[in-house]
Amino acid sequence: MGLLQDITAALAPVGLNLIGTTPSSDYEALVPAQYHLKQRFPDIKTVVVIGNGGGEFWRHFRQYVEARPGYLQQYDHPLDAYTVEAIRARLTPLLDAARTQYRLIYPFQFFSGLTVSFMHLAQAARLSVPSILGVQIHPRYGPWIAWRAAVLIDRDLPALSAPAQDFEPCSTCLERPCIAACPTQAVNAVQDWDLLACMKHRLRVPADCAERCHARYTCVYGREHRYPEDELAYHQRSSLATAQAYFKKSERAN
Ligand code: SF4
Ligand code: SF4
């Protein structure tokens, strides 16, 4: 098997079932210069983008922590810690054996001051496209996807399948139930997702979107792949905590 097929086969058993590739130049064409990978990794040619579609990855995470008492208390962000452990364990032997220069990066880590947009990496790999929800949408999994890691590689690799090629979910969506589902018009038809409006509403009425984002939940794509209830609540708690910390910091600064 080739390296990409090996990577795909190694990650599928833990629910990391969305794998795509993009030349680094295609990604850099989508983002401002401060996001360019070549600033830190001048030899990079290809990016392998890794994500999960649906709740399978979460189920593996749950099994992993259930077998390790105390794991959840050990980390501020246990899902991220598990992501690093799962990916390193599965990919490091393969990448080392391929005798390639590589670097594993994650959306929740900083790389010597470099910021990478994983949404744009996935878009360049044609795995998903932007939506009015503020998250990306995959033709099969809808908004129930997350980008977990990427491998920067110093060689050209062939393109993998591109499921989101020519996919235009929101401009062709007639029902748009997501707009009515949002209690504060953070999701609307006239502008991009209004992050500030969403966060202000959630801080004002914490119980309202505590269990899930209602707009995302009603998206017409990928409903059968919605995350399980406990995963939805985990992500909502985590984003609310981030918003609370952000607003507390800004209040202190003013
Ligand atoms: S429900 Fe329709 S308009 Fe809303 S995010 Fe999904 S595809 Fe886009
Ligand atoms: S979390 Fe709540 S306020 Fe924010 S976009 Fe979703 S439904 Fe709207």
Side-chain angles (χ1 to χ4, degrees):
M1 283 203 291
L3 180 59
L4 288 174
Q5 287 73 23
D6 288 342
I7 290 174
T8 303
L11 296 177
V14 288
L16 291 167
N17 50 4
L18 298 179
I19 314 290
T21 54
T22 177
S24 56
S25 53
D26 285 8
Y27 160 73
E28 292 185 350
L30 296 175
V31 292
Q34 67 263 34
Y35 293 90
H36 287 191
L37 297 162
K38 291 212 170 189
Q39 295 176 77
R40 292 282 180 283
F41 313 107
D43 296 330
I44 176 182
K45 292 212 166 75
T46 305
V47 184
V48 181
V49 186
I50 298 167
N52 67 269
E56 198 56 29
F57 182 65
W58 174 262
R59 283 186 271 277
H60 284 279
F61 165 67
R62 290 294 309 267
Q63 283 169 11
Y64 191 81
V65 300
E66 276 160 24
R68 290 164 181 77
Y71 191 89
L72 289 176
Q73 291 71 37
Q74 203 179 332
Y75 298 100
D76 287 340
H77 302 286
L79 184 62
D80 295 346
Y82 168 70
T83 299
V84 173
E85 287 171 28
I87 289 178
R88 274 198 194 143
R90 283 165 179 79
L91 293 196
T92 305
L94 291 178
L95 292 163
D96 286 348
R99 296 174 189 279
T100 183
Q101 293 295 316
Y102 70 90
R103 177 84 185 256
L104 281 164
I105 63 171
Y106 303 88
F108 42 82
Q109 287 182 353
F110 292 104
F111 326 103
S112 320
L114 176 68
T115 305
V116 178
S117 168
F118 274 72
M119 298 236 292
H120 287 97
L121 281 178
Q123 200 177 327
R126 290 164 296 161
L127 285 167
S128 57
V129 293
S131 75
I132 64 172
L133 293 173
V135 297
Q136 294 205 326
I137 297 189
H138 181 280
R140 178 173 175 208
Y141 293 102
W144 307 108
I145 56 175
W147 306 113
R148 298 259 158 227
V151 195
L152 314 182
I153 297 186
D154 70 339
R155 69 167 78 152
D156 292 314
L157 292 173
L160 284 174
S161 70
Q165 176 88 44
D166 302 323
F167 183 43
E168 295 181 21
C170 297
S171 62
T172 57
C173 179
L174 299 178
E175 305 95 319
R176 295 192 157 191
C178 57
I179 293 176
C182 176
T184 189
Q185 294 181 327
V187 177
N188 62 79
V190 292
Q191 61 176 46
D192 290 342
W193 177 58
D194 189 339
L195 168 65
L196 202 58
C198 169
M199 289 305 162
K200 281 183 173 167
H201 176 77
R202 295 192 57 201
L203 291 171
R204 207 168 44 240
V205 195
D208 203 355
C209 302
E211 300 301 316
R212 66 178 69 137
C213 166
H214 308 294
R216 189 175 182 181
Y217 199 76
T218 58
C219 179
V220 296
Y221 284 94
R223 284 180 175 173
E224 66 276 32
H225 298 291
R226 281 172 178 151
Y227 291 163
E229 297 296 325
D230 59 337
E231 181 175 11
L232 292 173
Y234 176 94
H235 291 305
Q236 288 302 90
R237 268 197 310 278
S238 172
S239 60
L240 184 60
T242 304
Q244 284 164 335
Y246 172 81
F247 280 101
K248 208 173 271 178
K249 202 169 154 195
S250 350
E251 271 167 22
R252 275 204 303 267
N254 291 328

